[in-house]
Amino acid sequence: MYNEKIYGGGFHHIAMNAYDIDKTVRFYTEGLGFSVYNTWYKENGEIAGIMLESGDGAIFEIFPGGAKEQPTGILAHIALKTDDCDKAAKAVKALGAQITIEPKDIVINGKEKVIPARIMFFKGPDGETIELFQIK
C-alpha cells in the first residue's frame, strides 16, 4: 500500500548503537544470517557505521559507541520475520543468546484483523530485545 503522506512507505532501516560493533556485526551476520549492505568509515579508518540486510531488503543500521548497559525503552524490540520459528530458535540457542520467551503460539485479536503467530524473544549482544515472528 502506498503512503500518500510520506510518498512511499515501509521502513528503510532501524538503527541502534552497539557497545562492541565487531561482536554485534558477527552476531547478526554469522549467527542470524544477515549480510553486510554498506560500511562507512571515519577519517581515522574506524567504522563510522554499518548497514546489514536481513534477507528481504530490510536494513539494520549499527553505529559504534553504545553503552555497555543499554537503557530500556528506547527501542522496545526488533521483530524478525521467520517461516519456521522453531528451527530459527535452535539457531539462536546455538549462538548462546539469552532466551527471554521460548517459542509459543499467540493470537493477536486486533480490531482490523486476527493474526495467529508463533513467536519467541531473545537478547542480542548489546542487550537489544529481538523477536522472531512467524505468521501461521
Side-chain angles (χ1 to χ4, degrees):
M1 183 165 98
Y2 189 78
N3 181 327
E4 298 288 341
K5 299 285 186 183
I6 61 171
Y7 303 98
F11 288 100
H12 179 269
H13 68 269
I14 296 170
M16 73 170 235
N17 295 320
Y19 174 69
D20 180 336
I21 195 164
D22 294 327
K23 179 180 177 182
T24 299
V25 168
R26 277 193 312 276
F27 180 85
Y28 283 95
T29 56
E30 295 172 17
L32 297 180
F34 285 47
S35 60
V36 175
Y37 179 77
N38 196 14
T39 308
W40 57 102
Y41 299 88
K42 300 175 185 176
E43 287 184 17
N44 66 4
E46 292 179 16
I47 292 178
I50 188 165
M51 288 181 165
L52 305 177
E53 198 267 332
S54 67
D56 70 348
I59 302 291
F60 189 31
E61 185 176 29
I62 302 170
F63 298 105
K68 186 167 178 92
E69 296 295 324
Q70 298 282 0
T72 59
I74 292 172
L75 183 64
H77 65 270
I78 301 161
L80 304 175
K81 291 186 267 183
T82 181
D83 292 328
D84 191 325
C85 190
D86 294 299
K87 283 184 180 176
K90 288 179 185 177
V92 168
K93 289 178 180 180
L95 290 173
Q98 177 191 353
I99 308 302
T100 56
I101 297 177
E102 290 287 343
K104 68 177 186 175
D105 291 324
I106 64 164
V107 177
I108 301 170
N109 289 306
K111 179 181 174 188
E112 290 75 21
K113 60 182 78 175
V114 174
I115 303 171
R118 186 151 179 86
I119 64 169
M120 79 165 288
F121 285 84
F122 59 99
K123 293 288 187 180
D126 290 279
E128 70 276 21
T129 299
I130 304 166
E131 175 185 13
L132 292 175
F133 193 93
Q134 174 188 355
I135 295 178
K136 295 185 90 180

